[in-house]
Amino acid sequence: MSTGLFPLFAALRGRAVLVVGGGAVAQRKVEALLEAGAQVRVGAPALQPSLVQLAEQGRIRHLRGEFAEHWLDEVWLAIAATDDAQVNRAVAAAGEARRVWVNVVDDAEASSFHVPARIERGPLQIAISSGGGAPMLARHLRERLETQLDPSLGELAELLGRERLRIRAHYPDLGARRRFFDRLLDGPLPALLRQHRHRAAERAFAQALETREPRTPRGSVVLVGAGPGDPGLLTLRGLRALNEADVILHDRLVSAEVLRLARRDAERIEVGKQAGDHHTTQDRIHELMLEHARAGKRVVRLKGGDPFVFGRGGEEIEVLRAHGIAFEVVPGITAALACAAYAGVPLTHREHAQSVRLVTAHCKDSEDELDWAALAQERQTLAVYMGVAGLERLRDRLIAHGRAPGTPFALIENGSRANQRTVVGTLAELPDAALAHDVRSPALLILGEVAGLAERLHWYGAAPLRHAPALAAAA
């Protein structure tokens, strides 16, 4: 959900900024503004000693007295940091009237800009904002990042800043420049700076700058499993691939949250297929992979779940191999694993099931090829990748081959996502339950004794919905 804030870094050097308030909070704001090179005016009836000293040194200008609107004349932004809420609100209102950005300390609603928690490594800054609603959380995250980001990142940023023009001259093309940075940052330079071996770091940079990539860079394809939707389930290798991609060919079921993790300037092409609407054929997907890889681009074929579990990943790498295109496969968490876990259903359980079968049946012909006698055996779990199509045929075939009508099921819609729903009941009720609760794709069916644990073990999202045939009929 958007915070409604647009993040930016303001260039305040030599520009007038007003701080209203003369206490400890005001002092912290003044110190940060002075570090940014701002010309700071502090308005207050009296100043605490440290601010008095800054005024005597000529580093700040003291506006003595109660707040007056003319204090905002010619300032670029203002901070209200008094202990009087009414005064702070008056500063905010005056700033709004004059189109001056105002931050009111501890009052997100009255503020037109927010001051984030910051991590600084020389010229490199990382800002964290909670939209003003949870500043202590932002502060907590800042403290954690402080321990993880090496101080040498500041020296690295300074080096790259000094050499920026040389880098642009060597690599005027954005794509080539990006690949240079990838080689540079994956090479020895960062480690040399951490070891304070500055001359060796300068030599490593010069060598990397003069090492030219081939005139036509070799393209490649990475098949990445995006998981079922929760971006937290994307693997670290998958995240890295998304941030290296020039082109992303993604399925319809890849969540928007996962796509937001990709490099901003990567070209995104939806190649989704769904039952009854194959607007991008598999052959066309093969053509797109080959076209972009042959153009020297790094292509990510981003698939919901795992590429090798009903994802046709095997067909795609066969095509890539046949045409001499380099490829890699990054596994993803398949829907059966993720949906079951997020619904509180163990796929195996020593008291209920010793095996799991992953099944897909998108049409009548494919269902005819299934071994129904084997699928109907007890003490096993079926994870059916078929959305909500053909549930009536599935029920009838399983019961006809001996599966008990009272076998529990869990039908999980949008598994692992914020809008996850789980419908539970028995095999006999399955198609009616899906219809009554209007279950839609993407959905995964778990059938077997373990599904009976969903109500007791659920932990994510809303509690499972149990189908009530009598109530549904009365409705």
Side-chain angles (χ1 to χ4, degrees), residues 120-407:
E120 295 180 85
R121 297 292 184 271
L124 178 68
Q125 293 191 62
I126 300 172
I128 305 169
S129 171
S130 65
M136 295 306 295
L137 173 61
R139 206 165 297 165
H140 173 74
L141 291 175
R142 184 200 67 197
E143 291 169 359
R144 292 188 61 178
L145 288 172
E146 287 281 9
T147 65
Q148 297 175 29
L149 299 177
D150 194 86
S152 65
L153 287 172
E155 296 179 65
L156 179 58
E158 289 172 358
L159 171 62
L160 297 178
R162 290 195 305 270
E163 302 291 351
R164 184 176 180 221
L165 294 179
R166 285 180 64 196
I167 294 170
R168 291 180 69 90
H170 273 70
Y171 296 99
D173 176 72
L174 177 61
R177 191 159 65 245
R178 185 168 57 241
R179 289 188 288 274
F180 162 74
F181 276 110
D182 288 343
R183 296 196 307 273
L184 183 72
L185 299 177
D186 286 338
L189 177 62
L192 291 171
L193 289 173
R194 284 195 299 272
Q195 298 161 13
H196 298 284
R197 298 171 60 189
H198 297 100
R199 289 186 179 179
E202 294 281 355
R203 288 195 298 270
F205 171 81
Q207 181 178 358
L209 191 64
E210 297 301 330
T211 302
R212 306 304 292 252
E213 66 177 354
R215 187 172 297 275
T216 302
R218 188 181 178 205
S220 62
V221 178
V222 184
L223 275 65
V224 176
D230 182 349
L233 297 181
L234 185 69
T235 65
L236 292 175
R237 180 67 191 95
L239 178 61
R240 182 176 179 183
L242 284 177
N243 281 283
E244 294 173 346
D246 299 308
V247 178
I248 300 171
L249 307 176
H250 64 91
D251 287 349
R252 178 183 60 89
L253 293 181
V254 173
S255 71
E257 292 79 7
V258 169
L259 283 172
R260 278 198 287 269
L261 298 176
R263 222 181 65 204
R264 295 288 177 88
D265 58 341
E267 181 181 359
R268 293 165 169 78
I269 304 173
E270 183 180 338
V271 292
K273 301 189 298 294
Q274 64 185 99
D277 182 20
H278 288 218
H279 74 270
T280 305
T281 66
Q282 189 63 39
D283 286 343
R284 179 57 181 155
I285 293 172
H286 295 165
E287 292 171 4
L288 287 168
M289 289 193 302
L290 295 174
E291 174 190 335
H292 290 289
R294 285 168 173 162
K297 296 180 180 179
R298 291 173 294 185
V299 180
V300 165
R301 173 70 175 101
L302 188 62
K303 297 169 169 286
D306 178 88
F308 282 3
V309 180
F310 306 127
R312 305 185 75 167
E315 299 173 38
E316 294 175 358
I317 64 172
E318 283 180 330
V319 170
L320 296 170
R321 172 77 73 185
H323 289 84
I325 302 297
F327 66 84
E328 179 184 349
V329 181
V330 179
I333 297 180
T334 189
L337 301 180
C339 294
Y342 275 59
V345 177
L347 290 175
T348 62
H349 190 291
R350 63 180 180 175
E351 296 179 7
H352 302 294
Q354 285 73 47
S355 65
V356 181
R357 290 177 182 260
L358 307 184
V359 184
T360 185
H362 290 289
C363 62
K364 186 177 186 296
D365 291 340
S366 61
E367 285 186 1
D368 290 338
E369 298 173 358
L370 297 176
D371 185 350
W372 290 102
L375 294 177
Q377 293 176 7
E378 296 183 351
R379 297 183 65 77
Q380 69 172 337
T381 303
L382 300 184
V384 186
Y385 292 69
M386 61 183 299
V388 292
L391 292 179
E392 187 171 355
R393 289 195 303 272
L394 177 73
R395 176 198 62 186
D396 294 345
R397 295 288 180 89
L398 288 174
I399 291 177
H401 285 81
R403 192 73 175 188
T407 303

